[in-house]
Amino acid sequence: MSITKECCTRPAVQSNYEPMGRVFDLDDLKIYETGDQSSKRVLISAYDIFGFHPNTKQVTDLLAKTGFLVTMPDFFRNKPYDATNFPPADRSVLIKWIHKMGNWSIVKPDLEKVIAHYKKQGVTGFGIFGFCWGGKVAVQAGAELSDDIKAVGLIHPSLLESSDFELINCPVIFLPSKNEPDLVPFQKQVQKRLGDDAAEHVRFDDMEHGFVAARSDFNDKLNKERVEEVIELLSKFFNKYIKN
């Protein structure tokens, strides 16, 4: 199970961004929703350890502008990792926190609840994308919730294992930074299981881990350009597999 040093040391970047979407309650689960509410295609965003961060909302807003309704559940129930105590002196503290707050047994029912909610609204196609820890969630959803989830996006993902891809049932796009280990073996696993067209891979060797979520710096010209590239790649990928 891989987690990079940068995942445990790079802090979130402060932002004054004003999100364009809305937050609503689905029972005890808060949802950030952005984009065309009449859309029949929903992308679920699995955030990183910093939760409902303005930078992550900005990324979801950008992706929503490409024609999707994008929804981001607050899996951590307004208790993301404490940014004031980051980075932790011992990375094991962070790992333990992730296993406690982001365990699949906790997250899966939330995802099922979100999917059921939107199906009642007439949504017919779902995809999921995740950052860092959220990438792990996205892969698990692509295996166990593939009756509804039809495509998976992994942006500088953490905690991935070969076993995560043994049961994957939908196409995957891998978008690692320079800090992630080589994800091509995982890409090949998906291709062997689902066909050569079922996995795409673009590595951003000039970007640090976290460059598309809470750790993104939209005041940095190159970082902003790379985020826009990721948005374009995700949009093309999800449009390919999630039809109206």
Coordinates of all heavy atoms in Angstrom, one line a residue, residues 92-186:
S92 N 2.5 7.7 10.7 CA 1.6 6.7 11.1 C 0.3 7.3 11.7 O -0.7 6.6 11.7 CB 2.3 5.7 12.1 OG 2.6 6.4 13.3
V93 N 0.5 8.5 12.3 CA -0.7 9.1 12.8 C -1.7 9.4 11.7 O -2.9 9.2 11.9 CB -0.3 10.5 13.5 CG1 -1.5 11.3 13.9 CG2 0.6 10.2 14.7
L94 N -1.2 9.9 10.6 CA -2.1 10.1 9.4 C -2.7 8.9 8.9 O -3.9 8.8 8.6 CB -1.3 10.9 8.4 CG -2.1 11.1 7.0 CD1 -3.3 12.0 7.3 CD2 -1.1 11.8 6.0
I95 N -1.9 7.8 8.8 CA -2.4 6.5 8.3 C -3.5 6.0 9.2 O -4.6 5.5 8.7 CB -1.3 5.5 8.2 CG1 -0.2 6.0 7.2 CG2 -1.8 4.2 7.8 CD1 -0.7 6.1 5.8
K96 N -3.3 6.1 10.5 CA -4.4 5.6 11.4 C -5.6 6.4 11.3 O -6.7 5.9 11.3 CB -3.8 5.7 12.9 CG -2.8 4.7 13.2 CD -2.2 4.8 14.6 CE -1.1 3.8 14.9 NZ -0.6 4.0 16.3
W97 N -5.5 7.7 11.1 CA -6.6 8.6 10.9 C -7.4 8.2 9.7 O -8.6 8.1 9.7 CB -6.2 10.1 10.9 CG -7.3 11.0 10.7 CD1 -8.1 11.6 11.7 CD2 -7.9 11.5 9.5 NE1 -9.0 12.4 11.2 CE2 -8.9 12.4 9.8 CE3 -7.6 11.3 8.1 CZ2 -9.7 13.1 8.9 CZ3 -8.4 12.0 7.2 CH2 -9.4 12.8 7.6
I98 N -6.7 8.0 8.6 CA -7.3 7.6 7.3 C -8.1 6.3 7.5 O -9.3 6.2 7.0 CB -6.3 7.5 6.2 CG1 -5.8 8.9 5.8 CG2 -6.9 6.8 5.0 CD1 -4.6 8.8 4.8
H99 N -7.5 5.3 8.1 CA -8.2 4.0 8.3 C -9.4 4.2 9.2 O -10.4 3.4 9.0 CB -7.2 3.0 8.9 CG -6.2 2.5 8.0 ND1 -6.5 2.0 6.7 CD2 -4.8 2.4 8.1 CE1 -5.4 1.6 6.1 NE2 -4.4 1.9 6.9
K100 N -9.4 5.1 10.1 CA -10.5 5.3 11.0 C -11.6 6.1 10.3 O -12.8 5.7 10.3 CB -10.1 6.1 12.2 CG -11.3 6.4 13.2 CD -10.8 7.2 14.4 CE -12.0 7.6 15.3 NZ -11.6 8.4 16.4
M101 N -11.3 7.2 9.7 CA -12.3 8.1 9.1 C -12.7 7.8 7.6 O -13.8 8.1 7.2 CB -11.7 9.6 9.1 CG -11.5 10.1 10.5 SD -13.0 10.3 11.5 CE -13.8 11.6 10.6
G102 N -11.7 7.1 6.9 CA -12.0 6.9 5.5 C -12.1 5.4 5.1 O -11.8 5.1 4.0
N103 N -12.4 4.6 6.1 CA -12.5 3.2 5.8 C -13.6 2.9 4.8 O -14.7 3.5 4.9 CB -12.8 2.5 7.2 CG -12.7 1.0 7.0 OD1 -13.6 0.3 6.5 ND2 -11.6 0.4 7.5
W104 N -13.4 2.0 3.9 CA -14.4 1.7 2.9 C -15.7 1.2 3.5 O -16.8 1.5 2.9 CB -13.8 0.6 2.0 CG -14.8 0.1 0.9 CD1 -15.3 -1.1 0.7 CD2 -15.3 1.0 -0.2 NE1 -16.1 -1.1 -0.4 CE2 -16.2 0.1 -1.0 CE3 -15.2 2.3 -0.5 CZ2 -16.9 0.6 -2.1 CZ3 -16.0 2.8 -1.6 CH2 -16.8 1.9 -2.4
S105 N -15.7 0.6 4.6 CA -17.0 0.2 5.2 C -17.8 1.4 5.7 O -19.0 1.2 5.8 CB -16.7 -0.7 6.4 OG -16.0 0.0 7.5
I106 N -17.2 2.5 5.9 CA -17.9 3.7 6.2 C -18.3 4.5 5.0 O -19.4 5.0 4.9 CB -17.0 4.6 7.1 CG1 -16.7 3.9 8.4 CG2 -17.7 6.0 7.4 CD1 -15.7 4.7 9.3
V107 N -17.4 4.5 4.0 CA -17.6 5.3 2.8 C -18.6 4.7 1.8 O -19.5 5.4 1.2 CB -16.3 5.6 2.1 CG1 -16.5 6.3 0.8 CG2 -15.4 6.4 3.0
K108 N -18.6 3.4 1.7 CA -19.5 2.7 0.8 C -20.9 3.0 1.0 O -21.7 3.3 0.0 CB -19.2 1.2 0.8 CG -20.1 0.4 -0.2 CD -19.8 -1.1 -0.1 CE -20.7 -1.9 -1.1 NZ -20.5 -3.3 -1.0
P109 N -21.5 2.9 2.2 CA -22.9 3.3 2.4 C -23.2 4.7 2.0 O -24.3 5.0 1.5 CB -23.1 3.0 3.9 CG -22.0 2.1 4.3 CD -20.9 2.4 3.5
D110 N -22.3 5.6 2.2 CA -22.5 7.0 1.8 C -22.6 7.1 0.3 O -23.5 7.8 -0.2 CB -21.4 7.9 2.3 CG -21.4 8.2 3.8 OD1 -22.5 8.0 4.4 OD2 -20.4 8.6 4.3
L111 N -21.7 6.4 -0.4 CA -21.8 6.4 -1.9 C -23.1 5.8 -2.4 O -23.7 6.3 -3.3 CB -20.6 5.7 -2.4 CG -19.3 6.4 -2.4 CD1 -18.1 5.5 -2.8 CD2 -19.3 7.7 -3.3
E112 N -23.5 4.7 -1.8 CA -24.8 4.1 -2.2 C -25.9 5.0 -1.9 O -26.9 5.1 -2.7 CB -25.0 2.8 -1.4 CG -24.0 1.7 -1.8 CD -24.1 0.5 -0.9 OE1 -24.3 0.6 0.3 OE2 -23.8 -0.6 -1.4
K113 N -25.9 5.8 -0.8 CA -26.9 6.7 -0.5 C -27.0 7.9 -1.6 O -28.1 8.3 -2.1 CB -26.7 7.3 0.9 CG -27.8 8.4 1.3 CD -27.4 9.0 2.6 CE -27.4 8.0 3.8 NZ -27.1 8.7 5.1
V114 N -25.8 8.3 -2.0 CA -25.7 9.4 -3.0 C -26.2 8.9 -4.3 O -27.0 9.6 -5.0 CB -24.2 9.9 -3.1 CG1 -24.1 10.8 -4.3 CG2 -23.8 10.6 -1.8
I115 N -25.8 7.7 -4.7 CA -26.3 7.2 -6.0 C -27.8 7.0 -6.0 O -28.5 7.4 -7.0 CB -25.5 5.9 -6.3 CG1 -24.1 6.1 -6.6 CG2 -26.2 5.1 -7.5 CD1 -23.2 4.9 -6.6
A116 N -28.3 6.5 -4.9 CA -29.8 6.3 -4.8 C -30.5 7.6 -4.9 O -31.6 7.7 -5.6 CB -30.1 5.5 -3.5
H117 N -30.0 8.6 -4.3 CA -30.6 9.9 -4.3 C -30.7 10.5 -5.7 O -31.8 10.9 -6.2 CB -29.8 10.9 -3.5 CG -30.2 12.4 -3.7 ND1 -31.3 12.9 -3.2 CD2 -29.5 13.3 -4.4 CE1 -31.3 14.2 -3.5 NE2 -30.3 14.5 -4.3
Y118 N -29.6 10.4 -6.5 CA -29.6 10.9 -7.8 C -30.4 10.1 -8.8 O -31.0 10.6 -9.8 CB -28.2 11.2 -8.3 CG -27.6 12.4 -7.7 CD1 -26.7 12.3 -6.7 CD2 -28.0 13.7 -8.1 CE1 -26.1 13.5 -6.1 CE2 -27.5 14.8 -7.5 CZ -26.6 14.7 -6.5 OH -26.1 15.9 -6.0
K119 N -30.4 8.8 -8.6 CA -31.3 7.9 -9.4 C -32.7 8.3 -9.3 O -33.5 8.2 -10.3 CB -31.0 6.4 -9.1 CG -29.7 5.9 -9.6 CD -29.4 4.5 -9.1 CE -30.1 3.5 -10.0 NZ -29.6 2.1 -9.7
K120 N -33.1 8.7 -8.1 CA -34.5 9.1 -7.9 C -34.8 10.4 -8.7 O -35.9 10.7 -9.0 CB -34.8 9.3 -6.4 CG -34.9 8.1 -5.6 CD -35.1 8.4 -4.1 CE -35.1 7.1 -3.3 NZ -35.3 7.4 -1.8
Q121 N -33.7 11.2 -8.9 CA -33.9 12.4 -9.7 C -33.8 12.2 -11.2 O -33.8 13.1 -12.0 CB -32.8 13.4 -9.3 CG -32.6 13.6 -7.8 CD -33.8 14.2 -7.1 OE1 -34.5 15.1 -7.7 NE2 -34.2 13.6 -6.0
G122 N -33.6 10.9 -11.6 CA -33.6 10.6 -13.0 C -32.3 10.5 -13.6 O -32.1 10.3 -14.9
V123 N -31.2 10.5 -12.8 CA -29.8 10.4 -13.3 C -29.6 8.9 -13.8 O -30.0 8.0 -13.1 CB -28.8 10.7 -12.2 CG1 -27.4 10.3 -12.7 CG2 -28.9 12.2 -11.9
T124 N -29.0 8.8 -15.0 CA -28.8 7.5 -15.6 C -27.4 7.1 -15.7 O -27.1 5.9 -16.0 CB -29.5 7.5 -17.0 OG1 -28.9 8.5 -17.8 CG2 -31.0 7.6 -16.9
G125 N -26.4 8.0 -15.5 CA -25.0 7.6 -15.6 C -24.2 8.2 -14.5 O -24.3 9.4 -14.2
F126 N -23.3 7.4 -14.0 CA -22.4 7.9 -12.9 C -20.9 7.6 -13.2 O -20.6 6.5 -13.7 CB -22.8 7.2 -11.6 CG -24.1 7.5 -11.0 CD1 -25.2 6.8 -11.4 CD2 -24.3 8.6 -10.1 CE1 -26.5 7.1 -10.9 CE2 -25.5 8.9 -9.6 CZ -26.6 8.1 -10.0
G127 N -20.1 8.5 -12.8 CA -18.6 8.3 -12.7 C -18.1 8.8 -11.4 O -18.8 9.4 -10.7
I128 N -16.9 8.4 -11.1 CA -16.3 8.9 -9.8 C -14.8 9.2 -10.1 O -14.2 8.6 -10.9 CB -16.4 7.8 -8.7 CG1 -16.0 8.4 -7.4 CG2 -15.7 6.5 -9.1 CD1 -16.3 7.5 -6.2
F129 N -14.4 10.3 -9.4 CA -12.9 10.6 -9.5 C -12.5 11.0 -8.1 O -13.3 11.5 -7.3 CB -12.7 11.8 -10.5 CG -13.4 13.1 -10.1 CD1 -12.7 14.1 -9.5 CD2 -14.7 13.3 -10.5 CE1 -13.3 15.3 -9.2 CE2 -15.3 14.5 -10.2 CZ -14.6 15.5 -9.6
G130 N -11.2 10.7 -7.8 CA -10.7 10.9 -6.5 C -9.3 11.4 -6.4 O -8.5 11.1 -7.3
F131 N -9.0 12.2 -5.4 CA -7.7 12.7 -5.2 C -7.0 12.1 -4.0 O -7.7 12.0 -2.9 CB -7.8 14.3 -4.9 CG -8.7 15.0 -5.8 CD1 -10.0 15.3 -5.5 CD2 -8.2 15.5 -7.1 CE1 -10.8 16.0 -6.3 CE2 -9.1 16.2 -7.9 CZ -10.4 16.4 -7.5
C132 N -5.8 11.7 -4.1 CA -5.0 11.2 -3.0 C -5.8 10.0 -2.3 O -6.1 9.0 -3.0 CB -4.8 12.3 -2.0 SG -3.6 11.9 -0.6
W133 N -6.2 10.1 -1.1 CA -7.0 9.1 -0.4 C -8.3 8.8 -1.2 O -8.7 7.7 -1.4 CB -7.4 9.5 1.0 CG -8.6 8.8 1.6 CD1 -8.5 7.6 2.1 CD2 -10.0 9.2 1.5 NE1 -9.8 7.2 2.5 CE2 -10.7 8.2 2.1 CE3 -10.6 10.3 1.1 CZ2 -12.1 8.3 2.3 CZ3 -12.0 10.4 1.2 CH2 -12.7 9.4 1.8
G134 N -8.9 9.9 -1.8 CA -10.1 9.7 -2.6 C -9.9 8.8 -3.8 O -10.9 8.2 -4.3
G135 N -8.7 8.7 -4.3 CA -8.4 7.8 -5.4 C -8.6 6.3 -5.0 O -9.1 5.5 -5.8
K136 N -8.2 6.0 -3.8 CA -8.5 4.6 -3.2 C -10.0 4.4 -3.2 O -10.4 3.3 -3.6 CB -7.9 4.5 -1.8 CG -8.1 3.2 -1.1 CD -7.2 2.1 -1.6 CE -7.2 0.9 -0.7 NZ -6.2 -0.1 -1.1
V137 N -10.7 5.3 -2.8 CA -12.2 5.2 -2.7 C -12.8 5.0 -4.1 O -13.6 4.1 -4.3 CB -12.8 6.5 -2.1 CG1 -14.4 6.5 -2.3 CG2 -12.5 6.5 -0.6
A138 N -12.3 5.8 -5.1 CA -12.8 5.7 -6.4 C -12.5 4.3 -7.0 O -13.4 3.7 -7.7 CB -12.1 6.7 -7.3
V139 N -11.4 3.7 -6.8 CA -11.1 2.4 -7.3 C -12.0 1.3 -6.6 O -12.6 0.4 -7.3 CB -9.6 2.0 -7.0 CG1 -9.4 0.5 -7.3 CG2 -8.7 2.8 -7.8
Q140 N -12.2 1.5 -5.3 CA -13.1 0.5 -4.6 C -14.5 0.6 -5.2 O -15.2 -0.4 -5.4 CB -13.1 0.8 -3.1 CG -11.7 0.4 -2.5 CD -11.6 0.9 -1.1 OE1 -11.8 2.1 -0.8 NE2 -11.1 0.1 -0.2
A141 N -15.0 1.9 -5.5 CA -16.3 2.1 -6.1 C -16.4 1.4 -7.4 O -17.4 0.9 -7.8 CB -16.6 3.5 -6.1
G142 N -15.3 1.5 -8.2 CA -15.3 0.9 -9.5 C -15.3 -0.6 -9.5 O -15.7 -1.2 -10.6
A143 N -15.0 -1.2 -8.4 CA -15.1 -2.6 -8.3 C -16.5 -3.0 -7.7 O -17.2 -3.9 -8.3 CB -14.0 -3.1 -7.4
E144 N -16.9 -2.4 -6.6 CA -18.0 -2.9 -5.9 C -19.3 -2.2 -6.2 O -20.4 -2.7 -5.9 CB -17.8 -2.8 -4.4 CG -16.6 -3.7 -3.9 CD -16.5 -3.8 -2.4 OE1 -17.6 -3.6 -1.7 OE2 -15.4 -4.0 -1.9
L145 N -19.3 -1.0 -6.9 CA -20.5 -0.3 -7.2 C -20.6 -0.1 -8.7 O -21.2 0.8 -9.2 CB -20.5 1.1 -6.5 CG -20.4 1.0 -5.0 CD1 -20.4 2.4 -4.4 CD2 -21.6 0.3 -4.4
S146 N -20.0 -1.0 -9.5 CA -19.9 -0.9 -10.9 C -21.3 -1.1 -11.6 O -21.4 -0.8 -12.8 CB -18.9 -1.8 -11.5 OG -19.2 -3.1 -11.2
D147 N -22.3 -1.5 -10.9 CA -23.6 -1.6 -11.6 C -24.0 -0.2 -12.0 O -24.8 0.0 -12.9 CB -24.7 -2.2 -10.6 CG -24.5 -3.7 -10.6 OD1 -23.8 -4.3 -11.4 OD2 -25.2 -4.3 -9.7
D148 N -23.5 0.8 -11.2 CA -23.9 2.2 -11.4 C -22.7 3.0 -11.9 O -22.8 3.9 -12.8 CB -24.5 2.9 -10.2 CG -25.8 2.2 -9.8 OD1 -26.7 2.3 -10.6 OD2 -25.9 1.7 -8.7
I149 N -21.5 2.8 -11.3 CA -20.3 3.6 -11.6 C -19.7 3.0 -12.9 O -19.4 1.8 -13.0 CB -19.3 3.5 -10.5 CG1 -19.8 4.1 -9.2 CG2 -18.0 4.2 -10.9 CD1 -20.0 5.6 -9.2
K150 N -19.6 3.9 -13.9 CA -19.2 3.4 -15.3 C -17.8 3.8 -15.7 O -17.3 3.4 -16.7 CB -20.2 3.9 -16.3 CG -21.6 3.3 -16.1 CD -21.6 1.8 -16.0 CE -23.0 1.2 -15.7 NZ -22.9 -0.3 -15.4
A151 N -17.2 4.7 -14.9 CA -15.8 5.1 -15.2 C -15.2 5.7 -13.9 O -15.9 6.3 -13.1 CB -15.8 6.2 -16.3
V152 N -13.8 5.6 -13.8 CA -13.1 6.0 -12.6 C -11.9 6.9 -13.0 O -11.1 6.5 -13.9 CB -12.6 4.8 -11.8 CG1 -11.6 5.2 -10.8 CG2 -13.7 4.0 -11.3
G153 N -11.8 8.0 -12.3 CA -10.6 8.9 -12.5 C -9.8 9.0 -11.3 O -10.3 9.2 -10.2
L154 N -8.5 8.8 -11.4 CA -7.5 8.7 -10.3 C -6.5 9.9 -10.5 O -5.7 9.8 -11.4 CB -6.8 7.4 -10.2 CG -7.7 6.1 -10.1 CD1 -6.8 4.9 -10.1 CD2 -8.6 6.2 -9.0
I155 N -6.6 10.9 -9.6 CA -5.7 12.0 -9.7 C -4.8 12.0 -8.5 O -5.2 12.0 -7.4 CB -6.5 13.3 -9.7 CG1 -7.5 13.3 -10.8 CG2 -5.6 14.5 -9.9 CD1 -8.9 13.0 -10.4
H156 N -3.5 12.0 -8.8 CA -2.4 11.7 -7.8 C -2.9 10.9 -6.6 O -2.9 11.3 -5.5 CB -1.8 13.1 -7.3 CG -2.7 14.2 -7.1 ND1 -3.6 14.2 -6.0 CD2 -2.9 15.3 -7.7 CE1 -4.3 15.3 -6.0 NE2 -3.9 16.0 -7.0
P157 N -3.3 9.6 -6.9 CA -3.9 8.7 -5.9 C -2.9 8.2 -4.9 O -1.7 8.1 -5.2 CB -4.5 7.6 -6.8 CG -3.5 7.5 -7.9 CD -3.2 9.0 -8.2
S158 N -3.4 7.8 -3.8 CA -2.5 7.2 -2.7 C -3.1 5.9 -2.3 O -4.3 5.6 -2.6 CB -2.4 8.1 -1.5 OG -1.7 9.3 -1.8
L159 N -2.3 5.1 -1.6 CA -2.8 3.9 -0.9 C -3.2 2.8 -1.9 O -3.9 1.8 -1.5 CB -3.9 4.2 0.0 CG -3.6 5.3 1.1 CD1 -4.9 5.7 1.8 CD2 -2.6 4.8 2.1
L160 N -2.9 2.9 -3.2 CA -3.3 1.8 -4.1 C -2.5 0.6 -4.0 O -1.3 0.6 -3.6 CB -3.1 2.4 -5.5 CG -3.9 3.6 -5.9 CD1 -3.7 3.9 -7.4 CD2 -5.4 3.4 -5.6
E161 N -3.1 -0.5 -4.2 CA -2.5 -1.9 -4.2 C -2.9 -2.6 -5.4 O -4.0 -2.4 -6.0 CB -3.0 -2.6 -3.0 CG -2.6 -2.0 -1.6 CD -3.3 -2.7 -0.5 OE1 -2.6 -3.6 0.1 OE2 -4.4 -2.4 -0.1
S162 N -2.1 -3.6 -5.8 CA -2.5 -4.4 -7.0 C -3.8 -5.1 -6.8 O -4.6 -5.2 -7.8 CB -1.4 -5.5 -7.2 OG -1.7 -6.3 -8.3
S163 N -4.1 -5.5 -5.6 CA -5.4 -6.2 -5.3 C -6.6 -5.3 -5.6 O -7.7 -5.8 -5.9 CB -5.5 -6.7 -3.9 OG -5.3 -5.6 -3.0
D164 N -6.4 -4.0 -5.5 CA -7.5 -3.0 -5.8 C -8.1 -3.2 -7.2 O -9.2 -2.9 -7.5 CB -7.1 -1.6 -5.6 CG -6.8 -1.3 -4.2 OD1 -7.4 -1.8 -3.3 OD2 -5.9 -0.4 -3.9
F165 N -7.2 -3.6 -8.1 CA -7.6 -3.7 -9.6 C -8.0 -5.1 -10.0 O -8.3 -5.3 -11.2 CB -6.4 -3.1 -10.4 CG -6.2 -1.7 -10.1 CD1 -5.2 -1.3 -9.2 CD2 -6.9 -0.7 -10.7 CE1 -5.0 0.0 -8.8 CE2 -6.7 0.7 -10.4 CZ -5.7 1.0 -9.5
E166 N -7.9 -6.0 -9.1 CA -8.3 -7.4 -9.5 C -9.8 -7.6 -9.8 O -10.2 -8.5 -10.6 CB -7.8 -8.4 -8.4 CG -6.3 -8.5 -8.3 CD -5.9 -9.4 -7.1 OE1 -6.8 -9.8 -6.3 OE2 -4.7 -9.6 -6.9
L167 N -10.6 -6.7 -9.2 CA -12.0 -6.8 -9.4 C -12.6 -5.6 -10.1 O -13.8 -5.4 -10.1 CB -12.7 -7.0 -8.0 CG -12.3 -8.3 -7.3 CD1 -13.0 -8.4 -6.0 CD2 -12.7 -9.5 -8.2
I168 N -11.8 -4.7 -10.6 CA -12.3 -3.5 -11.2 C -13.2 -3.8 -12.4 O -12.8 -4.7 -13.2 CB -11.1 -2.6 -11.7 CG1 -11.6 -1.2 -12.0 CG2 -10.3 -3.2 -12.8 CD1 -11.9 -0.3 -10.8
N169 N -14.3 -3.1 -12.5 CA -15.3 -3.5 -13.6 C -15.6 -2.3 -14.5 O -16.6 -2.4 -15.2 CB -16.5 -4.0 -12.9 CG -16.4 -5.4 -12.3 OD1 -15.8 -6.2 -12.9 ND2 -16.9 -5.5 -11.1
C170 N -14.8 -1.3 -14.5 CA -15.0 -0.2 -15.4 C -13.7 0.5 -15.8 O -12.7 0.3 -15.1 CB -16.0 0.8 -14.8 SG -15.4 1.5 -13.2
P171 N -13.7 1.3 -16.8 CA -12.5 1.9 -17.3 C -11.9 2.9 -16.3 O -12.7 3.5 -15.4 CB -13.0 2.7 -18.6 CG -14.2 2.0 -19.0 CD -14.9 1.5 -17.8
V172 N -10.6 3.1 -16.3 CA -9.9 3.9 -15.4 C -8.9 4.9 -16.1 O -8.2 4.4 -17.1 CB -9.1 3.1 -14.4 CG1 -8.3 4.0 -13.4 CG2 -10.0 2.1 -13.7
I173 N -8.9 6.1 -15.7 CA -7.8 7.0 -16.2 C -6.9 7.3 -15.0 O -7.4 7.7 -13.9 CB -8.4 8.3 -16.8 CG1 -7.2 9.1 -17.4 CG2 -9.2 9.1 -15.8 CD1 -7.7 10.3 -18.3
F174 N -5.6 7.2 -15.2 CA -4.6 7.4 -14.2 C -3.9 8.7 -14.5 O -3.4 8.9 -15.6 CB -3.5 6.3 -14.2 CG -4.0 4.9 -13.8 CD1 -4.6 4.1 -14.8 CD2 -4.0 4.4 -12.5 CE1 -5.1 2.8 -14.5 CE2 -4.4 3.2 -12.2 CZ -5.0 2.4 -13.2
L175 N -3.9 9.6 -13.5 CA -3.3 11.0 -13.7 C -2.3 11.3 -12.5 O -2.6 12.1 -11.6 CB -4.4 12.0 -13.8 CG -5.4 11.8 -14.9 CD1 -6.5 12.8 -14.8 CD2 -4.6 12.0 -16.3
P176 N -1.2 10.6 -12.4 CA -0.3 10.8 -11.3 C 0.6 12.0 -11.4 O 0.8 12.5 -12.5 CB 0.5 9.5 -11.3 CG 0.6 9.1 -12.8 CD -0.8 9.5 -13.3
S177 N 1.1 12.5 -10.3 CA 2.1 13.5 -10.3 C 3.5 12.8 -10.3 O 3.6 11.6 -10.3 CB 2.0 14.4 -9.0 OG 2.5 13.7 -7.9
K178 N 4.6 13.6 -10.2 CA 5.9 13.1 -10.2 C 6.2 12.3 -9.0 O 7.2 11.5 -9.0 CB 6.9 14.2 -10.4 CG 7.1 15.1 -9.3 CD 8.1 16.2 -9.6 CE 8.4 17.1 -8.4 NZ 9.4 18.1 -8.7
N179 N 5.5 12.5 -7.9 CA 5.8 11.9 -6.6 C 5.2 10.5 -6.5 O 5.6 9.7 -5.6 CB 5.3 12.7 -5.5 CG 5.9 14.1 -5.5 OD1 5.1 15.1 -5.4 ND2 7.2 14.2 -5.6
E180 N 4.2 10.1 -7.3 CA 3.6 8.8 -7.2 C 4.5 7.7 -7.8 O 5.3 8.0 -8.7 CB 2.2 8.7 -7.9 CG 1.1 9.2 -7.1 CD 1.1 10.7 -6.9 OE1 1.0 11.4 -7.9 OE2 1.2 11.2 -5.8
P181 N 4.4 6.5 -7.3 CA 5.2 5.4 -7.9 C 4.6 5.2 -9.3 O 3.6 5.7 -9.7 CB 4.9 4.3 -6.9 CG 3.6 4.6 -6.3 CD 3.6 6.1 -6.1
D182 N 5.3 4.4 -10.0 CA 4.9 4.0 -11.4 C 3.5 3.3 -11.3 O 3.4 2.3 -10.7 CB 5.9 3.1 -12.0 CG 5.6 2.8 -13.5 OD1 4.7 3.4 -14.0 OD2 6.3 1.9 -14.0
L183 N 2.5 3.9 -12.0 CA 1.2 3.4 -12.0 C 0.9 2.6 -13.2 O -0.2 2.0 -13.4 CB 0.1 4.5 -11.8 CG 0.2 5.3 -10.5 CD1 -1.0 6.3 -10.4 CD2 0.3 4.5 -9.3
V184 N 1.8 2.5 -14.1 CA 1.6 1.7 -15.4 C 1.3 0.3 -15.1 O 0.4 -0.3 -15.8 CB 2.8 1.9 -16.3 CG1 2.7 0.9 -17.5 CG2 2.9 3.3 -16.8
P185 N 1.9 -0.4 -14.1 CA 1.5 -1.8 -13.8 C 0.0 -1.9 -13.5 O -0.6 -2.9 -13.9 CB 2.4 -2.2 -12.7 CG 3.6 -1.3 -12.8 CD 3.1 0.0 -13.3
F186 N -0.5 -0.9 -12.8 CA -2.0 -0.9 -12.5 C -2.8 -0.7 -13.8 O -3.8 -1.4 -14.0 CB -2.3 0.1 -11.5 CG -1.7 -0.1 -10.1 CD1 -1.4 1.0 -9.3 CD2 -1.4 -1.3 -9.7 CE1 -0.8 0.9 -8.1 CE2 -0.9 -1.5 -8.4 CZ -0.6 -0.4 -7.6

